[in-house]
Amino acid sequence: MTIDISCNELVGGIPKEIAEMRRLQSLNLSRNDLNGSVIEGIDQMKMLESLDLSKNNLSGVIPQGLANLTFLSVLDLSNNHLFGRIPSSTQLQCSDRSSYSYNAQLYGHPLKECPRYSPPKPHIDHGSNTNPQEHDDDEEFPYLEFYISMVIGFFVTFWGILGCLIVNRSWRNAYFTFLMGMMSWLDMMSGVWFARLKKKLMRA
């Protein structure tokens, strides 16, 4: 019911005769140096519940027959050289992402989609400018740098003016004289405005 010959430095391909062990429930060939493809005719192993072929040198695609093993609940194909799309089935898609990790050219759920199938970015014509990097730089506004420069500019300007007023007495006197004059002018204008408004209300 169970075969575990992991960590034995086995070499060569996996014998196709293993697929004829139709009542086998658990097979562990991990941590060897096996090459070739995943077991041929694996769909014959209808009772298989656990399959571990990790940490070998297997290559090729994952056979569609693996998707037909309805009892398969534990699967580990990581650390090989498998490629292509992971076949669609409840058992294979429900496996953890780590079950397929370190197979650089393997894609499909639960892994990411293959990069070559990503939709192309729309082309934007900027006249004679043909450098795409410059296009990206034009489109991306540096929000963080903008706000930081605004804050720094405000503090430099504020403390620059305040420092000049503190150090230079004549400037300080002129500044406060100007403020007093503005306050007087505003007070006078508000009085005139209220007087005109009062006359209009009395006439009404």
Side-chain angles (χ1 to χ4, degrees), residues 3 7 9 12 16 20 25 29 52 61 64 69 77 80 94 103 113 119 142-143 145 156 164-165 167 173 180 184 190:
I3 293 179
C7 305
E9 299 182 0
K16 61 181 180 180
E20 298 176 4
Q25 295 180 358
L29 302 177
D52 190 347
V61 299
Q64 182 62 41
L69 302 181
L77 301 176
N80 281 290
C94 287
N103 289 281
E113 290 299 315
Y143 291 101
E145 293 81 356
V156 169
C164 292
L165 295 177
V167 174
N173 292 336
M180 294 300 294
S184 300
S190 62

Side-chain angles (χ1 to χ4, degrees), residues 73-145:
S73 58
V74 178
L75 175 66
D76 194 347
L77 301 176
S78 62
N79 293 273
N80 281 290
H81 305 290
L82 302 175
F83 56 83
R85 180 178 291 276
I86 299 172
S88 299
S89 75
T90 303
Q91 290 76 19
L92 300 186
Q93 263 66 54
C94 287
S95 297
D96 189 77
R97 181 178 298 182
S98 61
S99 300
Y100 307 102
S101 60
Y102 299 101
N103 289 281
Q105 301 183 49
L106 200 62
Y107 62 93
H109 189 77
L111 300 178
K112 295 181 179 180
E113 290 299 315
C114 183
R116 65 173 177 269
Y117 292 109
S118 60
K121 294 183 179 180
H123 174 71
I124 301 176
D125 188 7
H126 291 273
S128 60
N129 186 1
T130 58
N131 189 346
Q133 182 64 36
E134 294 179 5
H135 295 174
D136 296 339
D137 294 340
D138 292 340
E139 295 170 2
E140 295 181 1
F141 187 79
Y143 291 101
L144 182 60
E145 293 81 356

Side-chain angles (χ1 to χ4, degrees), residues 188-203:
M188 181 187 67
M189 291 301 296
S190 62
V192 171
W193 186 81
F194 278 114
R196 291 179 179 176
L197 181 63
K198 185 176 181 181
K199 288 182 180 181
K200 288 183 179 180
L201 292 175
M202 291 178 65
R203 290 176 182 175

